[in-house]
Amino acid sequence: MYPPSFPTHLVRALTTRRFAGSALVALAALLSAACSEPTAPINSPAHISRSSSELSPAASNFLVLGNTAVTCTDGTIAGDVGTFVAAPTGYVTQTGCPITGQLRVGDEAATQAFNNFLDTYAARAPKPEDVCTTLTGTLAAVTLSPGSYCFDAAATVTGLLTLNGPADGVWNFSIGTGGTGALTGTGFSVAMAGGGQGCNVTWWVAQGVTMTDSHLVGTVLGGAGITLTRGTFGGNAWARADATITGTAVTGCAS
């Protein structure tokens, strides 16, 4: 779904300008073919992109990032937590929620991390030329190989989704490619198989994310708030609004 390693604008330039000489024409055709990416069936590999940690190195140190507030009640967070807005407006609230990492409320590290997250969110926003495999339904009992997948609007998921691929396989999910759409999961679990790594899974969501009694893995790029209730979460929860965690064990994607 995301731009391949060869710049799209250069491919377009090569394929649209008139060059003298057959060698340049042949080169343009070769590059255009190499960058053409057909839509893959659900269980077939599609374009493999970079992992989220490569795209946002500063933000990757934070398991949870929120704009103004992060609220955790009766859960656990095994990593750093930060907000973009500084105190007293910005805050992290812990009620029966041990956090083993650092709390960074609007300091330099948290601000840089949040800005990096926003850059990553914008870079991964759907574009007209993107190619992805369109998904529908709840994803229960579905197995997906590495690739780029999308929901045109909101996604309501449940049951077990299996991501089956090698250790270097990458899964990119985009929810709301039509401009709006939230990700809502109840009793939803993601299982990695075949050596696949949770750190190579990214969920870009146009609007909010709500997970209840679920086990989600990967980096969640929330277009609004992120709410996790019970269950577990193995990854990074980064929200453009606030993050609310209730009874959820939040660990890193490598856990």
Side-chain angles (χ1 to χ4, degrees):
M1 172 176 177
Y2 301 101
S5 58
F6 196 88
T8 303
H9 67 84
L10 185 53
V11 174
R12 289 173 177 165
L14 286 170
T15 57
T16 56
R17 295 180 182 176
R18 295 186 177 182
F19 293 98
S22 59
L24 289 175
V25 174
L27 175 60
L30 176 62
L31 290 171
S32 178
C35 293
S36 177
E37 188 179 345
T39 299
I42 276 187
N43 290 320
S44 297
H47 175 62
I48 295 179
S49 181
R50 294 181 294 168
S51 68
S52 59
S53 61
E54 291 177 295
L55 290 174
S56 190
S60 64
N61 294 324
F62 287 81
L63 288 193
V64 182
L65 277 173
N67 182 20
T68 301
V70 174
T71 302
C72 183
T73 304
D74 297 329
T76 59
I77 302 176
D80 293 352
V81 176
T83 66
F84 174 72
V85 178
T89 304
Y91 60 90
V92 175
T93 299
Q94 298 171 255
T95 304
C97 176
I99 297 175
T100 59
Q102 299 184 61
L103 304 184
R104 316 297 290 262
V105 179
D107 66 5
E108 183 178 356
T111 300
Q112 180 184 358
F114 194 84
N115 284 329
N116 279 20
F117 151 56
L118 293 180
D119 289 344
T120 299
Y121 185 90
R124 286 178 172 265
K127 301 170 182 60
E129 65 270 20
D130 288 343
V131 177
C132 65
T133 299
T134 301
L135 300 174
T136 58
T138 67
L139 301 186
V142 170
T143 298
L144 298 176
S145 55
S148 296
Y149 301 94
C150 57
F151 282 83
D152 292 338
T156 301
V157 293
T158 188
L160 177 65
L161 168 66
T162 301
L163 304 182
N164 185 22
D168 61 351
V170 175
W171 291 260
N172 291 311
F173 294 90
S174 295
I175 315 299
T177 56
T180 60
L183 172 62
T184 303
T186 302
F188 177 63
S189 295
V190 177
M192 306 303 301
Q197 303 295 311
C199 292
N200 290 336
V201 180
T202 301
W203 304 82
W204 183 97
V205 185
Q207 295 179 299
V209 178
T210 303
M211 288 284 138
T212 304
D213 297 319
S214 297
H215 173 67
L216 188 64
V217 300
T219 294
V220 174
L221 309 174
I226 295 177
T227 300
L228 307 175
T229 303
R230 297 182 297 277
T232 62
F233 177 77
N236 305 86
W238 301 337
R240 293 176 70 190
D242 297 332
T244 303
I245 297 163
T246 305
T248 304
V250 180
T251 61
C253 60
S255 299

